[in-house]
Amino acid sequence: MSTAKEWKDKGNLLVQERKYGEALECYSKAIELDPNDPILYSNRSAMHFNCCHYDDAIYDAEEAIRLKPDYAKAYLRKGNALEKKQRYQEALSTYKIGLEKDSNNKQLLEAFQNLDNLLQSINNNQHEIKDINDDRNLIEKYALKKNVKIYFLKQISDKSTLKGIIEEVKDGLIYFQDEHNKFHIINLQNVVDIKII
């Protein structure tokens, strides 16, 4: 094959067969022959993403954007890779810029809304997470000492509680036996009373 289009077409066929590594090589060959085509960089970005090469996916998406600043799909590619790197605020900003270029792009809008909802949920749960950590610290301070048993109450609802003897605290969970010697595992949230016995 001697043209960028031929390599691109072969790459597209390999994508349909889910042969992402081979498709990536085809797009690279096409880029060597035509380094100014943003679609080639976008396609190769997608293959890097599918192969879990997220830094390379970001790089190629940025190249596509440099060549075509209003290329919405390239913003989507970059945002997706940034999310995989857990660079959530950068991803959100990338989606937002993409939507400024193409406000009707459904994929970009969906990606932006999903990530925005996730970040809002994380922020809303910060107080709950702090409470859980406080519970964990309080219990671990005593329950991990050798030869010490801890009696506890855990609020389940307005009308019911769990209570029992803690056997172990591990990974944010308490392992305990209830008054009937049945074994249970629960998280530490809403523990309301602790006594050394």
Side-chain angles (χ1 to χ4, degrees):
M1 286 180 285
S2 58
T3 68
K5 183 180 184 308
E6 288 175 324
W7 282 110
K8 175 188 171 187
D9 290 344
K10 182 178 179 182
N12 291 345
L13 288 173
L14 288 166
V15 170
Q16 292 175 13
E17 298 173 13
R18 300 189 179 207
K19 296 178 179 178
Y20 301 130
E22 293 176 45
L24 190 154
E25 291 177 12
C26 289
Y27 294 135
S28 293
K29 292 284 188 183
I31 287 170
E32 288 176 15
L33 296 169
D34 185 2
N36 296 313
D37 185 346
I39 294 174
L40 296 176
Y41 287 99
S42 177
N43 288 0
R44 190 170 72 173
S45 175
M47 295 310 100
H48 279 306
F49 183 90
N50 289 336
C51 295
C52 302
H53 309 153
Y54 302 122
D55 288 328
D56 292 328
I58 293 167
Y59 175 83
D60 276 348
E62 288 174 341
E63 281 298 295
I65 290 167
R66 182 182 66 79
L67 292 166
K68 190 175 185 341
D70 62 346
Y71 190 11
K73 186 175 283 188
Y75 290 96
L76 181 67
R77 304 261 196 244
K78 181 180 176 182
N80 287 343
L82 285 167
E83 280 198 61
K84 287 294 187 180
K85 297 281 290 180
Q86 297 183 355
R87 292 160 59 181
Y88 298 126
Q89 289 297 338
E90 290 178 70
L92 197 67
S93 296
T94 299
Y95 295 142
K96 187 175 181 181
I97 295 169
L99 285 168
E100 289 170 1
K101 307 291 184 182
D102 183 1
S103 59
N104 295 319
N105 189 291
K106 292 180 180 178
Q107 289 178 303
L108 265 176
L109 183 60
E110 183 178 353
F112 176 85
Q113 289 175 336
N114 287 343
L115 182 55
D116 189 46
N117 289 339
L118 173 65
L119 294 178
Q120 286 185 29
S121 175
I122 289 172
N123 288 334
N124 291 338
N125 288 332
Q126 287 304 310
H127 294 296
E128 181 180 342
I129 291 168
K130 182 181 182 302
D131 291 341
I132 292 171
N133 287 334
D134 288 345
D135 292 339
R136 180 182 298 117
N137 292 335
L138 186 59
I139 292 175
E140 286 181 347
K141 183 177 179 181
Y142 300 103
L144 295 180
K145 292 181 179 178
K146 292 181 180 180
N147 301 320
V148 172
K149 290 187 176 180
I150 305 297
Y151 174 85
F152 81 102
L153 294 174
K154 177 182 172 70
Q155 192 73 40
I156 301 302
S157 67
D158 291 339
K159 297 181 179 179
S160 64
T161 59
L162 282 178
K163 52 188 175 180
I165 304 296
I166 297 174
E167 300 292 334
E168 185 180 5
V169 178
K170 184 178 180 182
D171 298 327
L173 300 173
I174 55 177
Y175 299 72
F176 73 99
Q177 286 188 333
D178 66 14
E179 294 173 318
H180 306 291
N181 293 320
K182 293 182 179 177
F183 188 74
H184 301 274
I185 304 171
I186 58 173
N187 65 42
L188 302 178
Q189 191 177 8
N190 299 326
V191 172
V192 296
D193 190 27
I194 300 172
K195 295 179 183 176
I196 299 175
I197 59 171

